[in-house]
Amino acid sequence: MSTNLDIIHEDQSLLVINKQCGLLSVPGKGEEKQDCVVSRAKELFPDLPIQPAVHRLDMMTSGLMLLVRTPQAHRNLVRQFQYRLVLKRYTAIVEGDLLEESGVIELAFRLDPENRPLQIYDPVNGKQGVTLWRKIAREPSGTRVEFTPLTGRTHQLRLHASHPMGLGSPIVGDYLYGSGNDGDRMLLHSCFISFNHPENNNPCTYSSEPPF
């Protein structure tokens, strides 16, 4: 298994990884899905907790991801995510042009058990997802957008971008919710994260330029 990871910060409590597109965050089911950020990190840092990931990025999403190195850091950061103390921003290119400059998307959705891992809009049984967005620029391949998710639902940004009650403009390369094909480079990148350090409570911020 490869141990290639882009580690942009490490200390005794945590690691900040710049995840590449196409790499799983955590192991999946089956031998072919064991190569991931967590498995590679454990090869480099054998003392990591059993579950060092406190959040995940989709396989085709690139960018900043946190791993913890101690159970205490895990409890602290899980609590920060739970109480929305962690701020994350993403850069994406969505299909077509957007008429508005910015807005808030609030849509409830849930897993479609007959079409895993697809998430579907369900205002009755779904869990509410909230995303702030703003248009950055019109580009030849679509519109560059900044997303700030206030909740952390599965596929939240992908569904909020694609759904007619959201932007109605899927993320370029998204094969589940847009016109991309399985294996395409999805133009979604976790470009900013801020949180309080789990050991000393000092504010920490990290940025990563999108590769598109």
Side-chain angles (χ1 to χ4, degrees), residues 76-145:
N76 183 288
L77 280 165
V78 165
R79 193 177 304 117
Q80 290 190 51
F81 274 99
Q82 180 181 355
Y83 288 100
R84 300 184 183 180
L85 301 176
V86 179
L87 176 63
K88 295 185 293 178
R89 296 194 190 102
Y90 292 74
T91 298
I93 296 180
V94 300
E95 298 177 9
D97 197 5
L98 300 178
L99 298 179
E100 298 181 13
E101 295 297 317
S102 62
V104 182
I105 303 168
E106 298 183 64
L107 291 176
F109 50 98
R110 61 169 174 81
L111 175 68
D112 181 356
E114 297 182 0
N115 294 286
R116 294 174 181 269
L118 197 72
Q119 305 287 317
I120 56 174
Y121 173 64
D122 186 340
V124 177
N125 298 308
K127 292 184 177 181
Q128 188 81 339
V130 183
T131 303
L132 309 179
W133 69 274
R134 69 178 183 91
K135 181 162 64 174
I136 299 174
R138 182 72 171 95
E139 300 187 2
S141 57
T143 302
R144 186 173 294 264
V145 175

Side-chain angles (χ1 to χ4, degrees), residues 4-146:
N4 180 36
L5 277 181
D6 183 7
I7 301 172
I8 66 174
H9 172 81
E10 66 173 277
D11 60 37
Q12 67 274 18
S13 297
L14 57 88
L15 304 171
V16 183
I17 309 295
N18 192 27
K19 187 184 88 69
Q20 66 196 60
C21 173
L23 181 64
L24 289 168
S25 293
V26 300
K29 294 182 179 179
E31 189 63 32
E32 75 282 1
K33 292 185 178 180
Q34 295 308 297
D35 184 23
C36 62
V37 170
V38 165
S39 299
R40 292 186 184 191
K42 285 184 174 181
E43 288 289 326
L44 296 170
F45 304 92
D47 61 338
L48 287 183
I50 294 175
Q51 179 49 274
V54 290
H55 68 122
R56 302 178 185 184
L57 298 178
D58 289 344
M59 181 175 179
M60 303 311 290
T61 302
S62 57
L64 298 172
M65 180 178 167
L66 295 179
L67 299 182
V68 296
R69 301 187 67 179
T70 68
Q72 295 83 357
H74 189 278
R75 287 193 295 270
N76 183 288
L77 280 165
V78 165
R79 193 177 304 117
Q80 290 190 51
F81 274 99
Q82 180 181 355
Y83 288 100
R84 300 184 183 180
L85 301 176
V86 179
L87 176 63
K88 295 185 293 178
R89 296 194 190 102
Y90 292 74
T91 298
I93 296 180
V94 300
E95 298 177 9
D97 197 5
L98 300 178
L99 298 179
E100 298 181 13
E101 295 297 317
S102 62
V104 182
I105 303 168
E106 298 183 64
L107 291 176
F109 50 98
R110 61 169 174 81
L111 175 68
D112 181 356
E114 297 182 0
N115 294 286
R116 294 174 181 269
L118 197 72
Q119 305 287 317
I120 56 174
Y121 173 64
D122 186 340
V124 177
N125 298 308
K127 292 184 177 181
Q128 188 81 339
V130 183
T131 303
L132 309 179
W133 69 274
R134 69 178 183 91
K135 181 162 64 174
I136 299 174
R138 182 72 171 95
E139 300 187 2
S141 57
T143 302
R144 186 173 294 264
V145 175
E146 178 188 84

